[in-house]
Amino acid sequence: MSFESDKRFNDFKHFPRGLRRSGEFTVAEADSLEKFGTAMLALYQGAMEPRDEVEAAFIAQVKSGEAGGNPHAKVWFKYLKVIGPKRVHRLCTVAGGAEESNSFDSGNGGGGGDESLD
């Protein structure tokens, strides 16, 4: 049988509450990762040689970067994407045209309570 392992896969570094509770994977994907993830990781890292054509196809697809129709490769790529570096998008504006009076720390009537209102 392909992707056999006597140990269930858990990545508590990235998913401290477990794969199922992470919210990143469907129930089927979490089941697949827990059941076959240890073997997938060993194959991915080169620590284990493929034992059949399904595992060999998995390695070929992982090396090519395309999952195709292989459900094991699809879930592995999703796992790698989730644990990969996060892209941060920030909205930045340049205050080139901002007036001095709009500044909070300016001393020209920006909100003091002891000014008289005429």
Side-chain angles (χ1 to χ4, degrees):
M1 183 164 160
S2 300
F3 301 102
E4 277 188 19
S5 178
D6 54 351
K7 185 177 173 187
R8 293 191 68 80
F9 180 71
N10 285 308
D11 184 358
F12 291 118
K13 178 182 175 189
H14 295 104
F15 307 102
R17 296 174 49 211
L19 293 168
R20 290 176 187 269
R21 292 184 162 189
S22 70
E24 298 289 341
F25 305 103
T26 65
V27 174
E29 290 169 340
D31 284 342
S32 180
L33 279 171
E34 287 177 350
K35 191 172 182 181
F36 306 122
T38 303
M40 288 181 192
L41 179 63
L43 288 165
Y44 177 73
Q45 293 177 337
M48 184 172 92
E49 292 295 319
R51 293 175 281 192
D52 59 10
E53 58 275 348
V54 175
E55 291 180 357
F58 170 79
I59 290 175
Q61 288 173 329
V62 167
K63 285 182 180 179
S64 73
E66 303 228 359
N70 188 335
H72 298 295
K74 283 182 182 179
V75 75
W76 188 251
F77 280 128
K78 185 172 182 178
Y79 168 77
L80 292 176
K81 181 180 175 188
V82 169
I83 67 167
K86 305 289 186 235
R87 297 187 76 180
V88 178
H89 300 282
R90 295 188 179 121
L91 297 175
C92 299
T93 58
V94 178
E99 294 181 21
E100 187 73 24
S101 64
N102 291 339
S103 173
F104 287 111
D105 59 347
S106 66
N108 56 0
D114 53 345
E115 293 179 17
S116 66
L117 300 173
D118 290 319

PDB file of all heavy atoms in Angstrom, residues 14 16 32 38-39 44 46 53 65 68 90 94 107 109 114:
ATOM      1  N   HIS A  14       3.528  24.450  13.398  1.00  0.00           N
ATOM      2  CA  HIS A  14       2.699  25.333  12.577  1.00  0.00           C
ATOM      3  C   HIS A  14       1.219  25.270  12.951  1.00  0.00           C
ATOM      4  O   HIS A  14       0.469  26.215  12.685  1.00  0.00           O
ATOM      5  CB  HIS A  14       2.859  24.991  11.095  1.00  0.00           C
ATOM      6  CG  HIS A  14       4.242  25.258  10.601  1.00  0.00           C
ATOM      7  ND1 HIS A  14       5.146  24.244  10.380  1.00  0.00           N
ATOM      8  CD2 HIS A  14       4.876  26.410  10.305  1.00  0.00           C
ATOM      9  CE1 HIS A  14       6.280  24.773   9.956  1.00  0.00           C
ATOM     10  NE2 HIS A  14       6.145  26.079   9.898  1.00  0.00           N
ATOM     11  N   PRO A  16      -0.542  24.354  16.299  1.00  0.00           N
ATOM     12  CA  PRO A  16      -0.497  23.924  17.697  1.00  0.00           C
ATOM     13  C   PRO A  16      -1.758  23.207  18.163  1.00  0.00           C
ATOM     14  O   PRO A  16      -1.700  22.385  19.066  1.00  0.00           O
ATOM     15  CB  PRO A  16      -0.289  25.220  18.479  1.00  0.00           C
ATOM     16  CG  PRO A  16      -0.280  26.330  17.522  1.00  0.00           C
ATOM     17  CD  PRO A  16      -0.389  25.787  16.145  1.00  0.00           C
ATOM     18  N   SER A  32      -6.177  12.919   5.252  1.00  0.00           N
ATOM     19  CA  SER A  32      -5.129  12.471   4.343  1.00  0.00           C
ATOM     20  C   SER A  32      -3.748  12.853   4.882  1.00  0.00           C
ATOM     21  O   SER A  32      -2.820  12.039   4.860  1.00  0.00           O
ATOM     22  CB  SER A  32      -5.350  13.080   2.962  1.00  0.00           C
ATOM     23  OG  SER A  32      -4.354  12.668   2.073  1.00  0.00           O
ATOM     24  N   THR A  38       3.380  11.575   7.143  1.00  0.00           N
ATOM     25  CA  THR A  38       4.726  11.153   7.547  1.00  0.00           C
ATOM     26  C   THR A  38       5.482  10.577   6.358  1.00  0.00           C
ATOM     27  O   THR A  38       6.650  10.908   6.131  1.00  0.00           O
ATOM     28  CB  THR A  38       4.637  10.125   8.691  1.00  0.00           C
ATOM     29  OG1 THR A  38       3.906  10.708   9.784  1.00  0.00           O
ATOM     30  CG2 THR A  38       6.012   9.728   9.176  1.00  0.00           C
ATOM     31  N   ALA A  39       4.822   9.745   5.579  1.00  0.00           N
ATOM     32  CA  ALA A  39       5.455   9.174   4.384  1.00  0.00           C
ATOM     33  C   ALA A  39       5.673  10.244   3.322  1.00  0.00           C
ATOM     34  O   ALA A  39       6.706  10.266   2.647  1.00  0.00           O
ATOM     35  CB  ALA A  39       4.603   8.035   3.828  1.00  0.00           C
ATOM     36  N   TYR A  44       9.310  13.607   0.308  1.00  0.00           N
ATOM     37  CA  TYR A  44       9.607  14.982  -0.085  1.00  0.00           C
ATOM     38  C   TYR A  44      11.045  15.356   0.288  1.00  0.00           C
ATOM     39  O   TYR A  44      11.748  16.012  -0.483  1.00  0.00           O
ATOM     40  CB  TYR A  44       8.614  15.927   0.588  1.00  0.00           C
ATOM     41  CG  TYR A  44       8.840  17.390   0.320  1.00  0.00           C
ATOM     42  CD1 TYR A  44       8.552  17.945  -0.917  1.00  0.00           C
ATOM     43  CD2 TYR A  44       9.325  18.226   1.318  1.00  0.00           C
ATOM     44  CE1 TYR A  44       8.748  19.290  -1.162  1.00  0.00           C
ATOM     45  CE2 TYR A  44       9.521  19.571   1.087  1.00  0.00           C
ATOM     46  CZ  TYR A  44       9.232  20.102  -0.149  1.00  0.00           C
ATOM     47  OH  TYR A  44       9.429  21.434  -0.385  1.00  0.00           O
ATOM     48  N   GLY A  46      13.478  13.258   0.729  1.00  0.00           N
ATOM     49  CA  GLY A  46      14.420  12.303   0.171  1.00  0.00           C
ATOM     50  C   GLY A  46      14.926  11.292   1.181  1.00  0.00           C
ATOM     51  O   GLY A  46      15.870  10.553   0.915  1.00  0.00           O
ATOM     52  N   GLU A  53       4.588   2.816  -7.858  1.00  0.00           N
ATOM     53  CA  GLU A  53       4.440   3.854  -8.874  1.00  0.00           C
ATOM     54  C   GLU A  53       3.625   5.046  -8.380  1.00  0.00           C
ATOM     55  O   GLU A  53       3.802   6.166  -8.878  1.00  0.00           O
ATOM     56  CB  GLU A  53       3.835   3.292 -10.164  1.00  0.00           C
ATOM     57  CG  GLU A  53       2.495   2.629 -10.019  1.00  0.00           C
ATOM     58  CD  GLU A  53       2.590   1.162  -9.605  1.00  0.00           C
ATOM     59  OE1 GLU A  53       3.678   0.578  -9.633  1.00  0.00           O
ATOM     60  OE2 GLU A  53       1.538   0.610  -9.249  1.00  0.00           O
ATOM     61  N   GLY A  65       6.391  20.653  -9.588  1.00  0.00           N
ATOM     62  CA  GLY A  65       5.626  21.788  -9.080  1.00  0.00           C
ATOM     63  C   GLY A  65       4.172  21.792  -9.505  1.00  0.00           C
ATOM     64  O   GLY A  65       3.466  22.754  -9.273  1.00  0.00           O
ATOM     65  N   GLY A  68      -1.360  18.136 -10.770  1.00  0.00           N
ATOM     66  CA  GLY A  68      -2.132  17.344 -11.728  1.00  0.00           C
ATOM     67  C   GLY A  68      -3.397  16.816 -11.074  1.00  0.00           C
ATOM     68  O   GLY A  68      -4.091  17.523 -10.376  1.00  0.00           O
ATOM     69  N   ARG A  90       0.440  45.737   2.962  1.00  0.00           N
ATOM     70  CA  ARG A  90       0.158  46.902   3.790  1.00  0.00           C
ATOM     71  C   ARG A  90      -0.321  48.041   2.904  1.00  0.00           C
ATOM     72  O   ARG A  90       0.172  48.243   1.811  1.00  0.00           O
ATOM     73  CB  ARG A  90       1.411  47.326   4.532  1.00  0.00           C
ATOM     74  CG  ARG A  90       1.866  46.302   5.524  1.00  0.00           C
ATOM     75  CD  ARG A  90       2.982  46.855   6.371  1.00  0.00           C
ATOM     76  NE  ARG A  90       3.391  45.852   7.324  1.00  0.00           N
ATOM     77  CZ  ARG A  90       4.616  45.362   7.409  1.00  0.00           C
ATOM     78  NH1 ARG A  90       5.560  45.806   6.629  1.00  0.00           N
ATOM     79  NH2 ARG A  90       4.894  44.441   8.295  1.00  0.00           N
ATOM     80  N   VAL A  94       1.645  58.249   1.464  1.00  0.00           N
ATOM     81  CA  VAL A  94       2.669  59.235   1.728  1.00  0.00           C
ATOM     82  C   VAL A  94       1.974  60.529   2.100  1.00  0.00           C
ATOM     83  O   VAL A  94       1.102  61.006   1.379  1.00  0.00           O
ATOM     84  CB  VAL A  94       3.572  59.432   0.493  1.00  0.00           C
ATOM     85  CG1 VAL A  94       4.614  60.500   0.751  1.00  0.00           C
ATOM     86  CG2 VAL A  94       4.208  58.125   0.102  1.00  0.00           C
ATOM     87  N   GLY A 107       1.392  72.748  18.089  1.00  0.00           N
ATOM     88  CA  GLY A 107       0.941  73.577  19.186  1.00  0.00           C
ATOM     89  C   GLY A 107      -0.006  74.679  18.765  1.00  0.00           C
ATOM     90  O   GLY A 107      -0.232  75.600  19.525  1.00  0.00           O
ATOM     91  N   GLY A 109      -3.404  75.129  18.362  1.00  0.00           N
ATOM     92  CA  GLY A 109      -4.840  74.930  18.545  1.00  0.00           C
ATOM     93  C   GLY A 109      -5.340  73.582  18.121  1.00  0.00           C
ATOM     94  O   GLY A 109      -6.464  73.450  17.717  1.00  0.00           O
ATOM     95  N   ASP A 114      -7.797  74.870  27.053  1.00  0.00           N
ATOM     96  CA  ASP A 114      -7.753  76.170  27.692  1.00  0.00           C
ATOM     97  C   ASP A 114      -7.810  77.338  26.700  1.00  0.00           C
ATOM     98  O   ASP A 114      -7.491  78.448  27.044  1.00  0.00           O
ATOM     99  CB  ASP A 114      -6.528  76.278  28.597  1.00  0.00           C
ATOM    100  CG  ASP A 114      -5.238  75.947  27.894  1.00  0.00           C
ATOM    101  OD1 ASP A 114      -5.298  75.372  26.806  1.00  0.00           O
ATOM    102  OD2 ASP A 114      -4.194  76.200  28.427  1.00  0.00           O
TER     103      ASP A 114
END
